[in-house]
Every structure is written in C-alpha cells, then in structure tokens.
Amino acid sequence: AARMRASSEFDATVRGGVRAARPSVVVHARSVDDEQRRVGFVVSKKVGNAVTRNRVKRQLRHLVREHLDETPLGTRLVVRALPAAVASSTDLSHDLAGAWQSSLRKLERRR
C-alpha cells in the first residue's frame, strides 16, 4: 500500500527532494501535503541480471519495512540501488539505514 508506482511521483521526488548516498544505495526524500508515506525502488540493469535485480528489490522492500514507521507522514522516498548492493545484505542494511536517516534529517532541515 505504501509503494510508489507512478513515474511522475518518482521524477518529482528525485528532482525536488533531498538526496543521501551510501556505497550501495541512494535515498531521495521529499515532503508533500499528504497523510501517506510512499516509497519507490529503482534497480537498474547495472546492478545485474533480472534474477539479481529482483533479489535486491526484495531485500530492499524487506529492509524498508523496518524504517517506515519512524518516517513522518507526507514523506515520499525513492531508494535507488547501486551495483554494490549485490555484495552483502548486511552492508545493504547498514547503508540503507544510514542513507534513510540522513535523508530524513536533510528533509527536516529544509522544512
């Protein structure tokens, strides 16, 4: 229910929001006047073949569930996986947590 699907939402979040990067992920965040938290995922072909990309997407969806409750309402986030996301699920978890918190802090400063 919290997944972002429209390309216009992805574009608006990436272009109009803040960005926090780690070696395996980049998190873009944007505030909107809404009462929902929405998250979208971008895993390009540079990450690997279809099987690898889908595995990374599943891992990211699982990891994002842990952080969604602490995210303020009206926040849109785009999580973009980098080729290093394939290396280790532990590293991916740490990188996502760090980038997620950093993007929310940057977003709060912008408000």
Side-chain angles (χ1 to χ4, degrees):
R3 290 219 14 231
M4 193 184 307
R5 290 183 177 87
S7 64
S8 60
E9 284 185 283
F10 278 87
D11 290 342
T13 302
V14 171
R15 290 189 180 140
V18 297
R19 173 183 174 284
R22 295 294 184 272
S24 61
V25 294
V26 177
V27 176
H28 299 271
R30 179 175 163 249
S31 286
V32 295
D33 294 330
D34 194 354
E35 291 299 316
Q36 289 184 336
R37 302 171 190 102
R38 310 241 323 159
V39 181
F41 301 94
V42 177
V43 183
S44 76
K45 288 185 178 182
K46 289 182 180 179
V47 173
N49 63 18
V51 173
T52 303
R53 291 193 309 269
N54 284 323
R55 185 174 357 105
V56 169
K57 273 189 270 191
R58 283 193 306 272
Q59 287 175 337
L60 286 172
R61 279 197 301 265
H62 176 74
L63 294 169
V64 162
R65 286 186 190 111
E66 299 170 7
H67 302 289
L68 208 52
D69 291 336
E70 65 197 37
T71 305
L73 292 173
T75 305
R76 299 285 188 267
L77 293 120
V78 171
V79 179
R80 184 166 44 98
L82 300 175
V86 178
S88 166
S89 61
T90 307
D91 293 340
L92 182 61
S93 175
H94 290 302
D95 286 351
L96 178 66
W100 191 279
Q101 293 303 322
S102 180
S103 66
L104 291 179
R105 280 194 304 271
K106 287 180 181 181
L107 194 60
E108 188 61 36
R109 277 188 253 140
R110 183 184 263 195
R111 290 183 192 173

